Amino acid sequence: MSDLYLRKRLVSNVFSLLGDKENHITYSIAWGLSRSPQFLRHFIKEVTNETVNTESVTISLQEHETKGGITDIELRLPGELHIIVEAKRGWNLPGLKQLQQYVNRESFKHSTSAKRLLVTLSECSFDYASRNLEAKYIQDIRVVHVSWRQVTICVRRAYKSGSHSEKQLLCGLETYLEGLMTTQKTDSNLVYVVSLSSGTPEGWGISWIDIVNKRSLYFHPAAKGWPAVPPNYIAFRYHGKLQSIHHIDDYEVFDTLNERIPEIPKGNEDKEPRFLYKLGKPFAPAHAVPTGTIYPSGRVWCMLDTLFTSSTIAKARDVTQERERSALES
């Protein structure tokens, strides 16, 4: 079987043909729900805790209503259910204004269904969403959050009881969803080299260096300019040279520093998601590796072996970049 590429991106299944934008994700989920009664049943059970007869469920994509916005997905079971689903890419949640707009849609307000729900879909965990969704109820409508991980679990459950054709579809959908979620690149030899401040931030009871050396932890914002996917290795530089390299043994996304590191006081900084890395045992080259020409707070990527064979971190970065350029050209 020949490989199929779309703009140099390997297409592993039919869902990948669409892409990974929010609309693409919405279309893929809706298609899966419409073509797999078992997936639809498990998804509805996940958001309502009820088992329903899915034969009469209708699924709508991007329905527009004046002053009511455009919904991602709507599930309707006459007289029983009316569910509006809002899907987001990554660790994002819809705002209160958007959800209020959906609640005030004429078709939703005047629905004769016994149960009406708003469902938010994103990578956010249940705990994170429970703290950061702006409302759990809007008027009398409950807002339920479901993570992409939970959706994947629904897919797996559906696979067990699905027909042969459903299993083929669900296998592709699971692969697609797994590709959307933040997953550590465990097969990569790239090292993310970061600079640690030698001081202790005002009000903290622990320094940046001690968080790494004494707690075997490191965190950074889940934001632009930082890795969107946890690296396999991370290295720390301070006092003008490379100090240690660590495998990242585990990670989580959280939004409250004080819950993980009590010496960091509660405050305004606890308002955005962060990656928290659990670090493996430190290792480093036997010889000193000075920083070289990297600005003080600069963060760079280096192949692991280059940190052991280069005279400076800057040189290791340059060798890494040259190798990557050569690989693309070959």
Side-chain angles (χ1 to χ4, degrees):
M1 185 180 296
S2 299
D3 289 336
L4 173 64
Y5 289 86
L6 176 62
R7 302 185 189 95
K8 298 185 178 182
R9 174 173 58 84
L10 179 64
V11 177
S12 57
N13 61 74
V14 68
F15 293 102
S16 300
L17 282 170
L18 284 172
D20 58 3
K21 304 300 184 186
E22 284 184 0
N23 281 345
H24 304 150
I25 299 169
T26 300
Y27 300 159
S28 297
I29 292 293
W31 181 255
L33 291 170
S34 71
R35 289 296 177 266
S36 172
Q38 292 300 325
F39 176 37
L40 179 58
R41 181 173 68 85
H42 282 287
F43 180 80
I44 291 176
K45 177 72 178 292
E46 186 71 26
V47 300
T48 67
N49 201 31
E50 296 176 6
T51 300
V52 302
N53 183 349
T54 60
E55 289 183 4
S56 300
V57 173
T58 59
I59 303 169
S60 304
L61 272 172
Q62 296 199 325
E63 286 202 348
H64 175 266
E65 217 176 85
T66 304
K67 298 183 180 180
I70 301 173
T71 54
D72 283 343
I73 302 172
E74 292 191 53
L75 307 177
R76 294 182 179 90
L77 180 57
E80 295 187 45
L81 287 175
H82 191 162
I83 300 171
I84 293 178
V85 179
E86 173 62 25
K88 294 291 184 184
R89 180 79 162 86
W91 283 76
N92 295 300
L93 293 167
L96 181 60
K97 184 178 179 181
Q98 184 178 19
L99 296 177
Q100 286 175 328
Q101 192 176 37
Y102 294 158
V103 167
N104 291 322
R105 289 167 66 90
E106 291 298 317
S107 60
F108 194 64
K109 282 196 302 183
H110 300 300
S111 171
T112 59
S113 297
K115 179 169 286 189
R116 294 176 297 153
L117 291 173
L118 292 181
V119 175
T120 63
L121 289 181
S122 78
E123 195 167 344
C124 297
S125 66
F126 176 81
D127 288 341
Y128 178 83
S130 66
R131 290 194 296 267
N132 290 279
L133 267 173
E134 295 183 58
K136 295 181 180 179
Y137 280 88
I138 299 177
Q139 298 173 32
D140 61 340
I141 305 300
R142 188 160 68 98
V143 182
V144 178
H145 178 73
V146 179
S147 69
W148 290 122
R149 182 68 59 189
Q150 289 170 270
V151 175
T152 303
I153 291 171
C154 290
V155 170
R156 291 171 184 164
R157 289 172 178 164
Y159 183 90
K160 292 178 181 179
S161 54
S163 65
H164 178 70
S165 60
E166 284 182 87
K167 286 181 178 180
Q168 286 184 312
L169 176 138
L170 293 170
C171 184
L173 181 58
E174 180 181 358
T175 301
Y176 175 73
L177 291 174
E178 289 285 357
L180 298 176
M181 292 184 286
T182 303
T183 306
Q184 186 178 8
K185 294 182 177 178
T186 56
D187 60 346
S188 173
N189 72 336
L190 285 174
V191 182
Y192 190 52
V193 185
V194 304
S195 173
L196 288 181
S197 169
S198 59
T200 300
E202 184 177 355
W204 289 22
I206 190 170
S207 68
W208 286 104
I209 292 175
D210 283 347
I211 290 173
V212 170
N213 292 340
K214 294 183 178 180
R215 297 295 181 82
S216 296
L217 298 173
Y218 180 73
F219 62 87
H220 66 72
K224 187 176 181 180
W226 293 88
V229 174
N232 205 21
Y233 294 97
I234 192 166
F236 301 100
R237 63 179 181 87
Y238 50 92
H239 302 329
K241 64 180 181 179
L242 177 71
Q243 298 289 341
S244 61
I245 305 169
H246 304 254
H247 180 262
I248 294 177
D249 289 346
D250 200 4
Y251 70 92
E252 63 175 308
V253 178
F254 72 107
D255 63 336
T256 308
L257 296 174
N258 177 260
E259 288 184 3
R260 303 302 191 275
I261 305 171
E263 294 89 346
I264 299 177
K266 295 179 180 179
N268 294 331
E269 73 277 10
D270 299 340
K271 288 188 175 179
E272 62 179 345
R274 291 172 169 82
F275 281 113
L276 177 70
Y277 300 145
K278 181 179 179 181
L279 307 176
K281 291 182 179 180
F283 61 97
H287 64 282
V289 184
T291 297
T293 54
I294 301 173
Y295 62 91
S297 61
R299 303 183 295 271
V300 299
W301 291 94
C302 301
M303 291 179 179
L304 182 59
D305 67 294
T306 65
L307 291 172
F308 285 81
T309 58
S310 300
S311 57
T312 65
I313 299 173
K315 181 63 176 177
R317 173 204 58 194
D318 295 343
V319 171
T320 297
Q321 292 175 350
E322 180 57 35
R323 287 182 186 175
E324 290 176 333
R325 280 193 294 269
S326 297
L328 287 174
E329 292 169 359
S330 62

